[in-house]
Amino acid sequence: MLITHDTRCALDAVVDLLNTAPEGDSPGAPDSLTDLPALTEFVRRNEVSGVGSLGPDDLAAVRAVRARFAEIFAAGDNHTAAARLNALVASAGTTPQLTDHDGYDWHVHYFAPGATVADHLAADGGMALAFILVAGERERLRRCEAPDCRHAFVDLSRNRSRRYCDSRTCGNRLHVAAYRARRREAAG
């Protein structure tokens, strides 16, 4: 599956945004997008271009976009996911345009010039998710299988076998726990 640099960046931003939300399966997991400094850090970390000064309305709008992305990840079938993606992208007022900025070669931005950060994320992130759906790869949009995690990720492994958001933390922790359980069972 060929994923261009700008599509990968948009997918990474969608995943990062989703992972700022508290998870229903993880009691006590905090929301890490609760104030303007957190939003500013998210924008900086994901190199969201063309964003001016941020205000309380931006925070509320980005949190609403985050909820819509979560609905797309949770969609039970392609038709539901497509309908949700179409609505999200349309609400962002997409205006595809070629650009080459910040040392990157030509790529497409889907947000309108002067768009809010929420519309920027909805347009570019929505289109990146749409490319995954069009390629017949929606099953790559996943949640971590670690019972105490449930973070979102896009499985870009060749054989679509990734189960954890991070194999060094969630995956390793579960493998060690399973190993210890097997040892206890063998000893007892």
Side-chain angles (χ1 to χ4, degrees):
M1 172 174 199
L2 175 66
I3 296 179
T4 62
H5 176 266
D6 52 316
T7 300
R8 177 62 188 260
C9 290
L11 288 171
D12 289 345
V14 167
V15 166
D16 189 21
L17 181 60
L18 283 169
N19 291 336
T20 65
E23 279 301 318
D25 295 345
S26 302
D31 187 330
S32 62
L33 192 61
T34 57
D35 56 22
L36 287 177
L39 178 59
T40 301
E41 173 54 23
F42 171 83
V43 167
R44 185 207 58 76
R45 184 172 62 243
N46 288 282
E47 299 178 0
V48 180
S49 62
V51 175
S53 60
L54 300 170
D57 291 342
D58 292 308
L59 179 61
V62 168
R63 289 171 59 108
V65 167
R66 177 179 72 182
R68 293 179 80 180
F69 281 139
E71 291 173 353
I72 293 163
F73 263 66
D77 58 66
N78 286 342
H79 289 291
T80 302
R84 291 174 180 170
L85 274 168
N86 285 338
L88 176 66
V89 171
S91 72
T94 56
T95 307
Q97 58 184 325
L98 285 169
T99 184
D100 64 340
H101 63 87
D102 298 329
Y104 295 110
D105 204 359
W106 290 104
H107 59 282
V108 179
H109 281 183
Y110 294 94
F111 55 93
T116 66
V117 66
D119 284 345
H120 178 130
L121 292 168
D124 275 3
M127 289 304 300
L129 292 174
F131 294 142
I132 296 290
L133 188 111
V134 166
E137 302 284 353
R138 192 178 66 85
E139 72 275 0
R140 291 182 182 270
L141 307 179
R142 298 201 175 147
R143 293 285 183 171
C144 183
E145 290 183 18
D148 59 339
C149 180
R150 305 298 297 153
H151 274 144
F153 68 94
V154 178
D155 179 3
L156 297 177
S157 66
R158 182 172 289 178
N159 63 357
R160 298 174 197 86
S161 62
R162 191 169 153 201
R163 297 175 52 205
Y164 307 107
C165 64
D166 185 348
S167 60
R168 289 183 307 260
T169 55
C170 291
N172 191 46
R173 188 175 65 248
L174 288 174
H175 288 113
V176 168
Y179 170 76
R180 288 181 180 158
R182 285 191 307 273
R183 289 199 59 198
R184 277 192 304 272
E185 187 178 302

